[in-house]
Amino acid sequence: MGVQGSGKGTQAAMLAGDFDLVHIAVGDIFRWNVQHHTKIGAQVRRTMAAGLLVGDELVEGVVRDRLSQHDWNYGFIIDGFPRNERQAEFFLESYDIDGVIHLDLPDREVRRRVLARRLCSGCGMDYNLIANTPHVAGQCDVCGSALVRREDDTEEALAVRLREYHQKTNPVLAIFRRKEYVVTVDATRSREEVQQEIRKRLNLPPFSEDAVSTGQQSESGR
Ligand SMILES: [Zn+2]
């Protein structure tokens, strides 16, 4: 769990790659639907353009569908879910949870990271003007198309999302804390440091760059 820009997609991918876990990123499922102009995609697009979080029923439906595929052998790591108390109760009732990783990032740092995100208007590749800049300013390294902000990455939309995030997430963390599942990790540090801290806290073997290739992950926090 973590606010957008906290790097939870990156951290989840690093864990999934190393431990043969299926990585389920709710944001990616939604983005796929938007790009492929599905009915779900149209609903998501309207919500995001207004700067709001996608509705509970829609999120739950998408997650239930994805988890019902049962394609994991060693388990799964999910990011972007659960986001409210109801989803947390559903999750607790339905699955055995080993741990909840909470990536802690102050709002001012979220603002700095999120407002630096860019997306290629051609191929959809993610960029970040802090850590992952293109070779030519404003241009995609892969296809040369113009880099744009996601339409939901404005100051105003972000302020609404942060408020909504804290309102909904604090009670969820409280539920998981009562079950003693939560490890809170300072997410302001580098992605390697954050990964090591997660593993130390969960008694997992340390991360090694040689052992796993995660590719060029952006810090877009999906
Ligand atoms: Zn491109």
Side-chain angles (χ1 to χ4, degrees):
M1 296 181 62
V3 69
Q4 64 169 162
S6 63
K8 60 182 185 294
T10 304
Q11 296 299 329
M14 287 163 91
L15 287 169
D18 222 3
F19 298 106
D20 277 335
L21 304 171
V22 172
H23 177 200
I24 299 170
V26 177
D28 285 352
I29 299 174
F30 284 144
R31 260 190 295 282
W32 184 92
N33 278 284
V34 170
Q35 276 160 8
H36 291 80
H37 302 283
T38 66
K39 212 166 135 186
I40 289 175
Q43 280 173 275
V44 171
R45 201 183 176 85
R46 276 197 302 275
T47 315
M48 283 181 157
L52 300 170
L53 291 175
V54 177
D56 298 343
E57 279 102 73
L58 195 56
V59 172
E60 274 174 43
V62 163
V63 169
R64 270 207 190 91
D65 271 5
R66 179 62 191 83
L67 291 174
S68 69
Q69 292 173 25
H70 288 284
D71 56 345
W72 58 86
N73 292 318
Y74 303 105
F76 59 84
I77 181 160
I78 187 163
D79 80 68
F81 187 88
R83 291 198 296 210
N84 62 41
E85 286 171 280
R86 198 179 105 178
Q87 291 171 2
E89 300 291 356
F90 155 74
F91 207 56
L92 278 170
E93 283 162 20
S94 311
Y95 301 95
D96 285 328
I97 299 171
D98 291 315
V100 175
I101 302 159
H102 172 220
L103 298 177
D104 191 26
L105 195 69
D107 284 359
R108 60 168 194 285
E109 180 63 13
V110 176
R111 236 170 258 122
R112 193 178 80 93
R113 291 186 184 187
V114 168
L115 297 177
R117 300 200 297 198
R118 294 295 183 274
L119 182 73
C120 173
S121 55
C123 68
M125 177 102 169
D126 286 311
Y127 291 87
N128 177 312
L129 304 185
I130 301 165
N132 179 22
T133 52
H135 293 305
V136 179
Q139 228 180 65
C140 178
D141 294 340
V142 179
C143 73
S145 301
L147 301 186
V148 295
R149 264 191 186 166
R150 287 188 191 143
E151 58 185 298
D152 54 328
D153 282 354
T154 63
E155 285 267 11
E156 300 72 32
L158 182 59
V160 174
R161 282 207 299 281
L162 277 171
R163 202 163 47 235
E164 208 186 340
Y165 171 83
H166 291 301
Q167 265 170 16
K168 288 191 162 182
T169 309
N170 291 341
V172 174
L173 280 170
I175 290 172
F176 288 136
R177 280 202 183 101
R178 278 199 291 277
K179 305 260 179 193
E180 300 188 347
Y181 287 140
V182 181
V183 294
T184 295
V185 173
D186 172 8
T188 60
R189 293 172 298 169
S190 76
R191 70 183 193 120
E192 287 81 11
E193 287 171 307
V194 172
Q195 180 72 190
Q196 296 299 17
E197 178 68 14
I198 290 170
R199 292 184 182 212
K200 205 168 85 188
R201 301 281 299 281
L202 292 175
N203 294 316
L204 295 169
F207 173 73
S208 147
E209 280 290 354
D210 313 326
V212 59
S213 166
T214 57
Q216 276 293 9
Q217 293 282 343
S218 71
E219 288 289 318
S220 61
R222 284 157 300 162

